[in-house]
Amino acid sequence: MSDVHHDQARIVIIGGGAVGTGVALQLAEAGFTDILLLEREASLCAVTSPQAAGLVGQVRSSLERTKLAMWSVATFARLEREGEVKPSWRQTGSLRLAQTQERVAEFRRMMAVAEEAGLEVELLDAPAAARMWPHLDFEAAKAILWCPSDGYLQPADLVAAYQHEARKRGVRFRTSSGVAAIRLKDGRVAGVTTRDGMEIACEMVINAAGAHGYHVGRLVGLDLPVIPVRHHYVITTPTDWIRPDMPVLRMPDGTLYARADVNALLIGGWEPEAMSLDPRSYTLNDRLPPIAEDWPVLANFMEEFRPFGGPLCDQPVRHVFTGWPTFTPDGRFIIGESSQVPGFVCAAGCNAHGVSGSAGIGRHVVEALTEANPSPYVKSLSPDRFTQAPWDFDEARRRAQHVLETYYHIGH
Ligand SMILES: Cc1cc2nc3c(=O)[nH]c(=O)nc-3n(C[C@H](O)[C@H](O)[C@H](O)COP(=O)(O)OP(=O)(O)OC[C@H]3O[C@@H](n4cnc5c(N)ncnc54)[C@H](O)[C@@H]3O)c2cc1C
């Protein structure tokens, strides 16, 4: 049934960023094809996802996060190889640089986790790294960890690829269609109402609304600590030597990441004093506040890069990318169905992993919905951990900021 004012689908996904579209594809591949994705902007990938640097790193300090990232990489590589619409996935490999002995010890622990997960990593010496990134000085590195299957992609292309593949399996997409209300019947989800008054009957709603994840939770009476925290990076003017197939760089002691952007340098980082939004300070209907270019913080990213980048750190900046990715107080995703509101499912609070993690997040949503006994890790991501006990907004913001501030700290 579909007319101007009524429609129905088994599952309605709210939000057409990397997470919503990634979840749509994973669900469709698992056999859930009666899905309608609603995006309130005029196009998909219109808010936070297009701002992302597109870095995809698999080397993590926990086995679960490593496996999630490996699932994402396998999906990106498959879409790039077989898809008619490609995510522009470049498997460049990555170099992670240690500047302290504590960091070297952390690399060894990460290598043990990688080995357990079946992820290939190895330590390289400075000349080997310099062959991959000529003109950089790797002598300041006390250890260099190489992961050959890492890389980066273009988020807008990834979303287009997800949409194309999901559509082939029957998933429908509607843009300029903001959800204004969620209807409950006998305490469980029964449908949604859009801003323009369309009634859509459904059994399940998936909250993939990014920085409006808190507001969508409120539509069913739940308080979810989905806290937007500012993030930003710069792209320099082109050089005559950077090439797009050079490996992604991570310099955790300088809290920096970098990659080639065609012939330019993309460089961003995790600032020591983060800035967040109280989600109650804007409404479901509001757009997110604009972010002014913060030159002292951005210039510091370039300075922190100087031990390796030398004169490259004086390359002029051509463009600044900014946005409000969401963080949670415990730094973990919010994934799965609420036991208080059956049929209300979360794919939110991505802690700046929403693009790279999107396929793995989708996989976890499938596991949460289909497995009688999901893994302890997937269970631990349940929204119930926040909705069954009260939490404080100021404290949640402080902790969410802390997650960003300590992103590259040892053991994060
Ligand atoms: C500068 C920067 C760099 C980043 N770099 C990386 C990176 O290298 N790798 C990485 O993995 N991540 C990165 N991130 C984080 C990443 O961008 C986010 O984690 C990711 O985009 C979140 O995806 P999303 O789909 O949840 O959110 P969004 O892309 O914001 O999508 C949510 C969608 O929901 C829609 N919506 C909201 N309310 C409604 C409603 N009521 N009805 C219908 N639709 C609604 C919105 O319009 C929006 O399109 C970066 C972020 C920034 C800002």
Side-chain angles (χ1 to χ4, degrees):
M1 178 183 66
S2 174
D3 60 34
V4 180
H5 294 294
H6 294 89
D7 200 347
Q8 65 181 35
R10 183 170 177 202
I11 301 175
V12 167
I13 299 177
I14 305 176
V19 172
T21 55
V23 168
L25 177 57
Q26 294 293 327
L27 282 170
E29 288 185 333
F32 296 85
T33 50
D34 186 10
I35 298 176
L36 175 61
L37 184 148
L38 301 176
E39 166 54 53
R40 70 179 192 173
E41 297 294 337
S43 63
L44 300 180
C45 197
V47 182
T48 314
S49 297
Q51 300 303 310
L55 265 55
V56 184
Q58 302 165 93
V59 182
R60 307 267 163 192
S61 45
S62 83
L63 186 61
E64 292 90 355
R65 292 299 294 272
T66 307
K67 285 187 171 167
L68 178 140
M70 288 170 74
W71 181 274
S72 285
V73 163
T75 304
F76 303 151
R78 172 169 57 91
L79 291 174
E80 188 67 30
R81 200 172 52 243
E82 298 167 8
E84 288 115 11
V85 176
K86 316 252 182 222
S88 301
W89 165 242
R90 280 182 183 273
Q91 203 142 15
T92 57
S94 73
L95 295 169
R96 185 179 285 260
L97 312 178
Q99 289 168 269
T100 65
Q101 285 308 335
E102 293 75 22
R103 189 66 68 179
V104 176
E106 186 201 34
F107 282 12
R108 295 212 179 276
R109 290 193 296 275
M110 288 173 138
M111 289 177 80
V113 173
E115 190 181 349
E116 197 181 345
L119 176 69
E120 187 187 338
V121 288
E122 66 177 297
L123 292 173
L124 297 184
D125 59 18
R131 282 194 289 280
M132 299 180 184
W133 263 96
H135 304 294
L136 293 196
D137 180 359
F138 289 96
E139 292 306 323
K142 295 197 188 306
I144 302 171
L145 185 59
W146 164 240
C147 178
S149 56
D150 272 359
Y152 65 92
L153 50 66
Q154 300 301 331
D157 295 347
L158 174 67
V159 169
Y162 280 152
Q163 181 193 24
H164 181 80
E165 292 297 321
R167 214 180 227 163
K168 283 202 305 199
R169 291 163 176 81
V171 176
R172 293 181 295 143
F173 292 81
R174 189 173 297 145
T175 53
S176 301
S177 195
V179 170
I182 298 176
R183 276 179 292 115
L184 302 182
K185 189 164 181 240
D186 301 329
R188 62 167 301 132
V189 167
V192 304
T193 308
T194 62
R195 278 193 204 167
D196 54 5
M198 181 178 254
E199 299 285 345
I200 302 164
C202 64
E203 292 170 18
M204 196 175 274
V205 158
I206 299 187
N207 175 4
H212 286 88
Y214 164 78
H215 309 84
V216 169
R218 285 305 310 152
L219 294 180
V220 295
L222 296 179
D223 274 331
L224 297 168
V226 178
I227 311 289
V229 186
R230 179 182 80 166
H231 186 46
H232 40 184
Y233 61 82
V234 303
I235 296 180
T236 67
T237 54
T239 66
D240 58 5
W241 61 275
I242 294 179
R243 302 280 172 261
D245 57 357
M246 290 175 171
V248 170
L249 300 168
R250 290 189 181 78
M251 292 137 290
D253 297 305
T255 69
L256 292 180
Y257 59 79
R259 69 163 169 85
D261 189 71
V262 194
N263 306 125
L265 182 75
L266 178 160
I267 183 163
W270 310 105
E271 60 215 76
E273 288 178 31
M275 195 184 279
S276 68
L277 294 176
D278 185 329
R280 298 169 302 179
S281 66
Y282 58 98
T283 72
L284 180 62
N285 290 331
D286 293 334
R287 289 218 164 94
L288 300 167
I291 298 174
E293 291 168 357
D294 189 338
W295 288 109
V297 173
L298 297 170
N300 195 48
F301 292 161
M302 299 297 268
E303 279 315 307
E304 289 287 344
F305 188 46
R306 201 167 284 283
F308 304 106
L312 184 57
C313 302
D314 301 315
Q315 190 78 13
V317 168
R318 187 184 57 195
H319 200 84
V320 178
F321 282 77
T322 62
W324 295 107
T326 60
F327 286 73
T328 58
D330 60 6
R332 295 156 82 84
F333 305 127
I334 306 177
I335 293 178
E337 186 172 12
S338 161
S339 61
Q340 284 151 284
V341 185
F344 185 77
V345 177
C346 290
C350 296
N351 298 285
H353 270 107
V355 171
S356 55
S358 52
I361 290 169
R363 189 70 213 147
H364 286 344
V365 170
V366 170
E367 183 180 335
L369 297 182
T370 59
E371 294 291 326
N373 194 15
S375 68
Y377 175 67
V378 168
K379 277 191 202 156
S380 77
L381 305 177
S382 163
D384 293 350
R385 71 191 193 276
F386 294 119
T387 57
Q388 291 182 339
W391 50 268
D392 175 75
F393 276 90
D394 291 339
E395 180 62 13
R397 283 179 68 189
R398 264 194 299 279
R399 288 187 183 203
Q401 289 174 199
H402 185 70
V403 175
L404 181 142
E405 290 160 359
T406 59
Y407 211 80
Y408 278 165
H409 282 200
I410 287 172
H412 186 106

